[in-house]
Amino acid sequence: MYPPAQYAAAERLEAYLGDPFDPESSLSFKRLLQLDEAELYPEDACRLLNHWHLHLYYIPIEEGGQLSSYEEVLSLIRAIARRDITCAIAHAKTYLGAAALWLAGTEKQKQR
C-alpha cells in the first residue's frame, strides 16, 4: 500500500538519507548526537539536504518549485526533525520566511 501523495516526498527523502542507525551517514543519530554534544552546526547534514534540493519544496509548483501542499512540506520537516532538530530548524526558518510571500506577496515579489 502506498502512502498518501503528500507523504511521497518525505518517503523519497528518507530513502535518500538512508538508515539513521548507520554511523557513517551525515544524518545518522550517532553523528548528529556527536555534533550536538560538541555544539557544532551540522554542515554536512544541511549540505546533504541542499543537494537533495529540499529548498525547492518551499516554493509552490506554480512558481517553479516543488511545493504541492503544506502537509507535504511539514512531512519533510518532520522527517528531518526526527533525526536532528537543528537541521529541521535551519530549513524550516527558510520556509517560514517565504510562506508569507507565497500567501500574500505581489506577483513582482514572488518573481523576485
Side-chain angles (χ1 to χ4, degrees), residues 59-80:
I59 303 167
I61 290 172
E62 57 272 9
E63 302 296 338
Q66 295 291 322
L67 175 64
S68 62
S69 75
Y70 295 110
E71 182 63 30
E72 179 180 58
V73 75
L74 289 174
S75 70
L76 289 165
I77 297 298
R78 280 188 208 115
I80 298 163

Side-chain angles (χ1 to χ4, degrees), residues 96-106 108-112:
L96 292 174
L101 176 70
W102 306 128
L103 293 171
T106 66
K108 185 176 179 180
Q109 289 171 322
K110 291 177 184 180
Q111 290 248 328
R112 185 168 177 243

Side-chain angles (χ1 to χ4, degrees), residues 1 8-9 11 16 19 22 24 41 43 46 50-51 53 61 66 68 73 75-76 79 86 96 105:
M1 182 170 164
E11 284 214 339
Y16 171 76
D19 182 0
D22 176 3
E24 300 302 315
Y41 186 76
E43 290 180 42
C46 287
N50 292 340
H51 186 262
H53 300 288
I61 290 172
Q66 295 291 322
S68 62
V73 75
S75 70
L76 289 165
T86 301
L96 292 174

Side-chain angles (χ1 to χ4, degrees), residues 17-20 22-29 31-32 48 83:
L17 297 177
D19 182 0
D22 176 3
E24 300 302 315
S25 169
S26 295
L27 272 129
S28 72
F29 295 138
R31 176 71 181 132
L32 293 165
L48 193 64
R83 293 172 185 247

